[in-house]
Amino acid sequence: GEGLEDYVARVRAACRLPLYVGFGVGTPGQAARVAACADGVIVGSALLRRLADAADTDDARARARAFCAGLLAAMAPGDGPGGKDGST
């Protein structure tokens, strides 16, 4: 099948609008891969699953913060933990 990067390139060639990808994005690694080729990353179901397992509102907030922090770290440029491009 066609890879994500090839598909995004084909869509970009046909459209000038910003391109956001969200289907099947649920891990930091997947978010980093999408962020490397698209204009934005959409994460929905993976976050909702974590919230559904929360004991209360405070737990839900903590789970959301931790999950989003992991996604952001994976998508961050640079060579720090999770940095996607190795730049300095």
Side-chain angles (χ1 to χ4, degrees):
E2 185 175 34
L4 172 68
E5 293 81 0
D6 292 336
Y7 179 73
V8 169
R10 277 191 33 238
V11 173
R12 281 196 189 283
C15 179
R16 291 183 178 260
L17 297 173
L19 182 59
Y20 294 78
V21 176
F23 288 104
V25 180
T27 67
Q30 291 166 339
R33 181 177 176 206
V34 170
C37 64
D39 297 306
V41 180
I42 302 168
V43 177
S45 299
L47 176 59
L48 293 177
R49 280 192 298 276
R50 283 159 179 82
L51 297 179
D53 292 338
D56 56 32
T57 304
D58 289 335
D59 186 32
R61 283 189 192 115
R63 287 170 181 258
R65 277 191 198 105
F67 181 62
C68 291
L71 295 173
L72 289 170
M75 294 184 292
D79 56 5
K84 68 179 182 182
D85 66 4
S87 67
T88 55

